Amino acid sequence: LNTVINCILVYGLFEMAEYGDFRGLIALVYALIYIGLGQLIQKNASQEHSAQALFYLTAITFSILMIPFQFGIEWASLGWLIEAVLLLYYATRRSVGKMEVAGWVILGLCVGNFVLTDFISFWPVEHFILKYSLITLGLILVLSFYVRKLGTSEMFRHTKKGSLLHGYKYFTIISTWIYALRMIAELFDRFGKYLAYDTFYYYICLALVTAGFAFLIGRIKWIKDKVVAGIAVALFVLVDLLCFLMNFFQVAPSAELSSRIIPIAILVLYNVYVIWSIKDLTVRLIRKTGSSLEIYPMAMAVYFLGASVSLLVSQFDLGNINLIISIFLLVMALVYIALGFRKRFVILRRAGLALAVFSTAKLFIADLAFLETGGKIIAYFCFGLILIGISYVYDRVSRNIEKVEE
């Protein structure tokens, strides 16, 4: 009660004397006074735990108020960040539990204030990139203070402090990824207007940053565990899904095909990366679940077929696209059957047969109705050759397999 009355009087006198610029300095003086009183009680009356707690909490309160009082609420987040980092650094090095708790409280206030006043703001925030970058760096720096503890033993993970620290680690990883995505958005808001197909390149950059981040967190030993590995896998899956969806969105449909060559080439390379990613994810799944190895070629075949068809339909202005797709499907059926026999993959071979039946049915039911007589003759001829090839491969390889078995 004495502190409240004293503060009201002192701050009132300073305002009357037009010394309002020293509000933060007064809070600093109060914080130092109450830290000293807490130390004094701790040395001379150690049994007075309530008095110690009261003095230390008062000191923490003034240290929190010091930043907005002196620099304004817009700089409170950065001020609290500096306080929290310094307190936690000192507390972890000297094992001062109360100071450590104070550091975590101030860090929570820092993050909460930034999210509420800056991150979700509906209007431009001054120095947003600077604030966001420093806060993200501060979160990573605080995590580095606890690296050794996180890797000491598996038993520590199941303690209350260990669970909280691991939770903070996952929070820092996810928030750092969100920071990277937000910075990409900020850069495109400022400079995207100078790029052709800026929306396309924006999503490509999001995918590139996400894939790089997932690769990075999976390789850093001092944060690696099962949950982090799961986060990395989830990010890789997100990148793969984004690529598959992007295949359906035509890049600048009003522009000439020649001007879209570079974006389409980038999209093709993106799909090549996704095929490699699916290979890695499928191998992990097989190792973890003990599933059949045939899942691997089947997953590759399904994605390659879907990506190829979507690229043909969405990115290329081809005449008779339905007929071209049917021919492509039949060629892929022949490839799947050949690989299925060569590598002894039964599921892939059957998938090829099913694809051949589907493409043939599609040809007769839908595609030929829109062709002239000459086109129909060419289509029948092409399909006949491919189907004869499939029949030949199937018959020839089946006989070889029977001879080997005998």
Side-chain angles (χ1 to χ4, degrees):
L1 182 61
N2 175 70
T3 302
V4 172
I5 296 172
N6 184 273
C7 285
I8 292 172
L9 291 174
V10 170
Y11 275 103
L13 290 171
F14 267 72
E15 291 296 331
M16 290 172 62
E18 298 183 352
Y19 292 147
D21 293 338
F22 297 99
R23 288 190 295 265
L25 181 61
I26 300 171
L28 174 61
V29 172
Y30 274 115
L32 293 175
I33 289 173
Y34 280 94
I35 287 175
L37 289 173
Q39 293 288 331
L40 182 66
I41 293 294
Q42 188 172 352
K43 290 181 179 179
N44 298 304
S46 57
Q47 72 279 6
E48 296 290 341
H49 300 293
S50 298
Q52 293 177 41
L54 181 61
F55 287 139
Y56 285 131
L57 285 174
T58 306
I60 292 172
T61 302
F62 278 112
S63 66
I64 292 171
L65 294 174
M66 175 180 67
I67 303 300
F69 279 4
Q70 187 64 42
F71 302 105
I73 191 65
E74 63 272 14
W75 292 105
S77 296
L78 288 187
W80 290 337
L81 176 69
I82 295 171
E83 281 186 303
V85 170
L86 292 176
L87 283 172
L88 289 171
Y89 177 79
Y90 183 84
T92 53
R93 293 300 179 273
R94 300 296 181 90
S95 299
V96 185
K98 295 176 181 178
M99 188 177 290
E100 186 177 6
V101 172
W104 282 109
V105 170
I106 296 175
L107 183 64
L109 287 172
C110 161
V111 175
N113 179 72
F114 174 76
V115 171
L116 294 175
T117 60
D118 297 328
F119 187 80
I120 61 175
S121 176
F122 295 101
W123 51 84
V125 178
E126 190 177 6
H127 307 298
F128 175 78
I129 294 179
L130 173 65
K131 293 179 182 179
Y132 200 3
S133 300
L134 290 177
I135 288 175
T136 303
L137 183 62
L139 293 175
I140 297 172
L141 189 60
V142 169
L143 179 61
S144 69
F145 298 160
Y146 295 93
V147 170
R148 293 182 179 178
K149 284 188 176 181
L150 290 173
T152 51
S153 66
E154 187 64 26
M155 293 297 295
F156 177 73
R157 183 187 185 92
H158 299 287
T159 62
K160 185 176 181 180
K161 185 175 182 179
S163 300
L164 292 174
L165 288 178
H166 277 86
Y168 173 75
K169 178 177 71 173
Y170 307 139
F171 168 79
T172 302
I173 290 172
I174 295 173
S175 63
T176 304
W177 171 61
I178 295 173
Y179 162 79
L181 299 186
R182 184 65 181 268
M183 289 301 103
I184 293 293
E186 291 290 329
L187 290 174
F188 269 85
D189 283 343
R190 296 188 181 189
F191 308 108
K193 58 185 178 182
Y194 302 109
L195 290 173
Y197 321 126
D198 55 327
T199 303
F200 170 79
Y201 287 115
Y202 171 68
Y203 286 110
I204 288 293
C205 288
L206 290 183
L208 183 64
V209 168
T210 301
F213 185 81
F215 178 82
L216 183 64
I217 64 174
R219 295 300 185 277
I220 301 176
K221 294 182 179 179
W222 51 273
I223 64 169
K224 194 173 181 181
D225 59 24
K226 292 181 179 180
V227 176
V228 175
I231 294 174
V233 169
L235 293 179
F236 279 127
V237 172
L238 182 62
V239 171
D240 298 345
L241 289 175
L242 178 60
C243 177
F244 186 72
L245 292 175
M246 287 183 66
N247 289 328
F248 292 93
F249 295 98
Q250 189 175 11
V251 180
S254 60
E256 295 292 332
L257 179 62
S258 58
S259 65
R260 295 189 279 126
I261 291 296
I262 294 178
I264 291 175
I266 292 174
L267 192 56
V268 170
L269 290 175
Y270 188 3
N271 279 279
V272 171
Y273 158 77
V274 171
I275 290 173
W276 171 83
S277 175
I278 291 175
K279 172 186 174 182
D280 182 64
L281 293 173
T282 306
V283 170
R284 289 188 185 185
L285 178 64
I286 292 172
R287 289 176 178 173
K288 186 174 182 179
T289 61
S291 303
S292 172
L293 289 174
E294 293 199 27
I295 295 177
Y296 163 64
M298 195 60 207
M300 302 284 286
V302 168
Y303 182 81
F304 182 80
L305 185 65
S308 302
V309 172
S310 60
L311 281 172
L312 285 173
V313 173
S314 302
Q315 307 303 332
F316 298 96
D317 299 320
L318 301 175
N320 295 324
I321 187 66
N322 289 324
L323 178 60
I324 293 172
I325 291 174
S326 296
I327 295 173
F328 176 78
L329 292 177
L330 201 55
V331 171
M332 292 307 301
L334 177 60
V335 173
Y336 290 173
I337 290 171
L339 286 176
F341 274 117
R342 185 175 180 179
K343 301 293 185 180
R344 303 291 181 89
F345 292 134
V346 178
I347 297 178
L348 186 61
R349 188 176 71 208
R350 292 174 179 173
L353 283 173
L355 191 59
V357 172
F358 171 78
S359 57
T360 305
K362 179 178 179 296
L363 172 73
F364 286 101
I365 295 173
D367 301 338
L368 295 182
F370 301 98
L371 293 178
E372 299 294 334
T373 303
K376 290 180 180 180
I377 293 171
I378 295 173
Y380 278 123
F381 184 74
C382 293
F383 266 68
L385 286 177
I386 296 173
L387 288 171
I388 290 171
I390 291 174
S391 177
Y392 173 78
V393 169
Y394 217 95
D395 182 66
R396 181 73 178 271
V397 178
S398 296
R399 289 182 180 181
N400 291 336
I401 291 174
E402 289 177 358
K403 288 180 180 180
V404 170
E405 290 177 351
E406 289 177 357

